[in-house]
């Protein structure tokens, strides 16, 4: 449910550039009825319709909300990932039960479904992802991974101590993508404007900043979502008093297709 009739002119910070980049702010999100999700507010963020090769979702699970019957993803060639933004969720995958609080995450390899349930007294919020897994000849398959970002040590990014990264998944060729968390101290920024073949879907966990997307500087803050397509220029500065941090996906460990 949104806020009813507005008392001001309608406005939006969202920017959509199909295939290039998108900033999607929380005010514009709508509920998508996705089979399997019960008592949840599900917003599809990136998708192939936007030009992404993956699908991202931000899902609020209301008290008792779940996807525990049909399950999420799990097609033979589809891998998936869940990150808990707030609350507490139970996930059953490969017949094992896991409970995750804020910062908790699970990666499910191709063919593994996730059965998700909110076990918090109030709402829980999760960032979800799925994409087609790209096999590598002679390489073993990826495996189920669980963890909590709060237990992972930060590493300086490209020699910048004010900007730090965490790798959430193993750096192993079995995996064709990784999830990371980048954190910027107030005033810190990328050491250079990146231009690379990989795509990102990023959910802002804290802080405020200005983000360079295709050489346009746009204000961003906690709760925003950014899609960055292949080769789009990208970098940011953290502004304000809090650290800016975001969790994001990045394809890796594979050659470019011809
Ligand atoms: O890993 C990355 O490519 C990351 N530094 N990109 C980004 O923050 N936009
Ligand atoms: Mn990047």
């Amino acid at each position: 449910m949104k806020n009813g009739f507005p008392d001001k002119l309608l406005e939006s910070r969202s920017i959509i550039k199909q295939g290039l980049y998108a900033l999607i702010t929380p005010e514009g999100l709508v509920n998508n009825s996705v089979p399997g999700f019960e008592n949840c507010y599900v917003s599809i963020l990136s998708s192939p319709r936007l030009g992404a090769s993956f699908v991202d979702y931000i899902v609020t699970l209301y008290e008792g909300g779940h996807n525990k019957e049909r399950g999420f993803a799990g097609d033979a060639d589809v891998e998936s990932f869940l990150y808990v933004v707030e609350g507490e969720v139970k996930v059953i995958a490969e017949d094992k039960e896991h409970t995750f609080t804020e910062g908790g995450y699970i990666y499910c390899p191709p063919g593994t479904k996730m059965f998700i349930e909110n076990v918090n007294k109030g709402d829980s919020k999760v960032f979800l992802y799925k994409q087609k897994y790209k096999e590598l000849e002679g390489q073993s398959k990826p495996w189920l991974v669980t963890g909590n970002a709060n237990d992972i040590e930060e590493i300086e990014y490209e020699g910048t101590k004010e900007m730090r990264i965490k790798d959430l998944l193993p750096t192993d060729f079995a995996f064709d993508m990784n999830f990371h968390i980048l954190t910027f101290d107030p005033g810190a920024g990328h050491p250079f404007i990146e231009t690379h073949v990989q795509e990102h879907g990023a959910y802002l966990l804290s802080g405020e900043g200005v983000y360079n997307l295709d050489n346009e500087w746009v204000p961003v803050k906690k709760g925003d979502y950014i899609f960055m397509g292949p080769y789009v220029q990208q970098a940011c500065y953290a502004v304000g008093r809090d650290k800016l941090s975001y969790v994001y996906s990045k394809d890796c460990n594979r050659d470019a297709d011809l």
Side-chain angles (χ1 to χ4, degrees), residues 185-186 207-208 238-244:
D185 290 340
E208 294 177 3
V239 302
R241 295 196 172 88
D242 298 329
K243 290 177 185 172
L244 170 70

Side-chain angles (χ1 to χ4, degrees), residues 194 196 200 234 250:
E194 300 175 4
H196 54 63
H200 299 310
Q234 53 193 264
K250 184 173 186 177

Side-chain angles (χ1 to χ4, degrees), residues 33-38 40 57 65-75 80 91-93 111-117 130:
S33 148
V34 177
F37 287 91
E38 305 285 341
C40 295
Y57 314 72
H66 67 88
N67 187 348
K68 63 179 183 186
E69 275 138 34
R70 188 181 284 266
F72 172 66
D75 289 354
S80 59
V91 176
I92 297 177
T112 297
K113 259 186 200 289
M114 273 191 209
F115 299 91
I116 307 163
E117 186 180 355
K130 68 174 181 184

Side-chain angles (χ1 to χ4, degrees), residues 159-249:
T160 314
K161 70 174 183 330
E162 299 81 6
M163 172 188 181
R164 299 166 300 275
I165 192 164
K166 292 180 179 187
D167 300 332
L168 273 49
L169 296 181
T171 51
D172 185 294
F173 276 117
F175 291 81
D176 66 347
M177 61 92 187
N178 206 327
F179 263 82
H180 310 275
I181 293 181
L182 268 177
T183 302
F184 302 77
D185 290 340
H190 282 77
F192 59 93
I193 296 184
E194 300 175 4
T195 315
H196 54 63
V197 65
Q198 295 90 353
E199 295 171 69
H200 299 310
Y203 183 78
L204 273 73
L205 298 168
S206 68
E208 294 177 3
V210 282
Y211 219 106
N212 185 308
L213 294 162
D214 194 31
N215 260 342
E216 300 285 342
W217 290 98
V218 291
V220 296
K221 62 176 190 174
K222 178 180 173 179
D224 287 352
Y225 172 81
I226 306 172
F227 162 63
M228 293 168 242
Y231 302 104
V232 79
Q233 288 104 320
Q234 53 193 264
C236 72
Y237 292 114
V239 302
R241 295 196 172 88
D242 298 329
K243 290 177 185 172
L244 170 70
S245 76
Y246 50 88
V247 58
Y248 69 101
S249 59

Side-chain angles (χ1 to χ4, degrees), residues 11 27 110 126 245:
E11 58 190 10
E27 305 78 30
V126 299
S245 76

